[in-house]
Amino acid sequence: MIEKENRRLRVGVLGCGPIAQFAHLESCVKARNADLYAICDAAPDLLARMGATYEPRKMFSDYDAMLADPDLEAVIVATSDAYHVPMSIKALEAGKHVLCEKPIGVSVEEGEELADAVKRSGKILQVGHMKRFDPALQAARDFVHNDIGQILALKAWYCDSTHRYTNTDAVQPLPITSKLARKPAGNPKADLRQYFMLAHGSHLVDTARFFCGDIVAVRARLLERAGAYCWFVETEFTNGALGHLDLTVAVRMDWHEGLQLYGENGSVLAKTFNPWYLRSSEVEIFHEKDATSRKPLGADGHFFRRQLESLADAALKGAPMRGANVEDGIASIRAMVAIARSVETGERVELAAVTGAV
């Protein structure tokens, strides 16, 4: 049982759909330094069910009304992608800190608009790249930043599985749904290239940046075959390291995610599990100086709760922001747009030059 701190961030969750149910509502209840102060959803039946289950102090059917509450300090934007930017901007303009689900937007211009809002507000915006709070990956990143020396190359892969829902349905409760849920105009899955890149590619790109820093340019290929989509992305990093990213949806095998990183003073091997298992990655860190390996356990695998606690530490105590900020979010969008343009043209694409949507 996590011991609660006396001063806790008062958080409101916007959206009571599956991502809120599986990740954010429980995180607010379990966090050592945050409370589930409010929930908001346009569907009255869903709002009532989640209110009865998680017992927030307040419930709202109107987002503006929730933002007008002076006791509310932060908002988790747990909505469809199309609402991420406008709902985050509203919260920032109301003087609230924000944890926004990834991706922060679908276009470079959206991301820049949000960055401007963050600067004007003086508030914290953290992007929900929760893999940054996998404790075993954090240990590996510390080694990479502090001890590995020059990075030679990174190979990273994110391969969704045809069996992922069979696996997750066995360990998750059924999500509560509503016919009155507010949905964006159009079907987000109408363009599967865009949908898979936003939903899954955003994780892969952020993991690459988490370990190796900024991406300068990409050259990408895409093969669509037998109902699967496979992107191979040659990646150039600012530090000169080479990168190869593999995004495949979906492989005919178990969930397949991880990375290999080779450096001057050692290497990192990581196997990452389906996030809904809430299980830290299996990581092996090899130290060249004494030819030994270590494997951090990472016993606390609740990445979603850990990212909220990090936001609360930053908001309440002025602690350094350890999660992805709005500039990281824009960098992810730029990388995904560059990958899409490279697939279309067959050419190397520099991230600084791209505009438009994924």
Side-chain angles (χ1 to χ4, degrees):
M1 191 72 177
I2 296 172
E3 184 176 348
K4 293 280 189 173
E5 296 181 3
N6 292 329
R7 177 67 171 98
R8 300 189 291 275
L9 190 69
R10 294 184 291 273
V11 180
V13 176
L14 174 63
C16 293
I19 187 65
Q21 294 174 39
F22 293 153
H24 299 301
L25 295 169
E26 181 184 83
S27 293
C28 291
V29 172
K30 287 185 173 181
R32 59 175 166 78
N33 56 359
D35 282 334
L36 182 60
Y37 176 80
I39 60 174
C40 179
D41 200 282
D45 52 345
L46 188 56
L47 185 65
R49 289 285 296 274
M50 292 303 104
T53 301
Y54 291 98
E55 299 182 322
R57 203 175 309 177
K58 295 187 178 181
M59 297 190 294
F60 296 90
S61 59
D62 180 79
Y63 186 41
D64 290 334
M66 183 172 80
L67 293 179
D69 188 324
D71 291 329
L72 180 73
E73 296 177 297
V75 172
I76 297 176
V77 178
T79 63
S80 299
D81 294 352
Y83 299 132
H84 286 177
V85 169
M87 297 302 102
S88 294
I89 290 176
K90 273 196 168 191
L92 292 166
E93 291 178 342
K96 316 300 181 185
H97 303 292
V98 176
L99 172 58
C100 180
E101 260 301 332
K102 58 81 201 165
I104 58 166
V106 300
S107 72
V108 173
E109 292 75 16
E110 268 194 325
E112 291 175 340
E113 181 186 5
L114 182 55
D116 289 341
V118 173
K119 291 175 185 176
R120 290 194 306 269
S121 71
K123 296 298 177 180
I124 298 167
L125 182 136
Q126 182 173 304
V127 186
H129 284 298
M130 83 296 173
K131 292 179 186 292
R132 291 183 177 226
F133 294 91
D134 179 324
L137 292 182
Q138 287 178 326
R141 183 179 184 264
D142 288 344
F143 170 68
V144 170
H145 277 227
N146 300 329
D147 299 310
I148 206 170
Q150 289 186 309
I151 299 172
L152 175 65
L154 168 78
K155 293 189 286 186
W157 50 93
Y158 184 112
C159 303
D160 199 353
S161 167
T162 52
H163 303 283
R164 63 93 55 90
Y165 290 110
T166 303
N167 289 333
T168 56
D169 285 351
V171 297
Q172 286 180 315
L174 288 174
I176 306 300
T177 59
S178 170
K179 294 180 180 178
L180 302 174
R182 183 171 295 172
K183 298 180 180 180
N187 178 9
K189 296 184 181 181
D191 182 347
L192 285 178
R193 285 189 182 188
Q194 182 189 62
Y195 176 76
F196 290 148
M197 182 57 64
L198 290 170
H200 304 301
S202 58
H203 280 305
L204 181 59
V205 166
D206 189 70
T207 296
R209 294 187 67 256
F210 184 55
F211 279 93
C212 290
D214 288 333
I215 299 170
V216 176
V218 298
R219 187 187 298 270
R221 292 179 294 159
L222 168 64
L223 177 62
E224 300 175 22
R225 179 173 289 180
Y229 293 70
C230 178
W231 286 264
F232 277 4
V233 184
E234 180 185 335
T235 309
E236 300 172 28
F237 294 97
T238 300
N239 61 16
L242 299 179
H244 179 272
L245 308 182
D246 168 5
L247 173 65
T248 304
V249 186
V251 290
R252 275 57 172 175
M253 57 186 290
D254 196 3
W255 184 277
H256 182 56
E257 183 181 358
L259 61 91
Q260 299 178 351
L261 190 148
Y262 312 128
E264 179 182 7
N265 301 318
S267 62
V268 172
L269 302 178
K271 176 182 179 181
T272 297
F273 301 94
N274 186 307
W276 301 118
Y277 294 166
L278 298 177
R279 178 181 175 185
S280 297
S281 298
E282 290 182 353
V283 168
E284 180 176 320
I285 300 169
F286 183 82
H287 300 259
E288 177 69 13
K289 63 182 178 182
D290 55 5
T292 62
S293 294
R294 62 187 179 95
K295 296 182 178 181
L297 175 61
D300 179 7
H302 205 305
F303 330 110
F304 298 99
R305 192 204 79 248
R306 288 166 58 88
Q307 73 174 354
L308 174 60
E309 289 175 339
S310 178
L311 173 68
D313 280 339
L316 297 176
K317 304 174 183 177
M321 236 275 283
R322 295 168 53 236
N325 61 25
V326 68
E327 297 301 331
D328 292 313
I330 294 172
S332 289
I333 296 174
R334 284 190 174 277
M336 292 186 290
V337 172
I339 290 168
R341 298 296 91 83
S342 182
V343 165
E344 293 165 1
T345 65
E347 301 295 327
R348 173 183 178 272
V349 177
E350 296 185 358
L351 271 63
V354 298
T355 59
V358 176

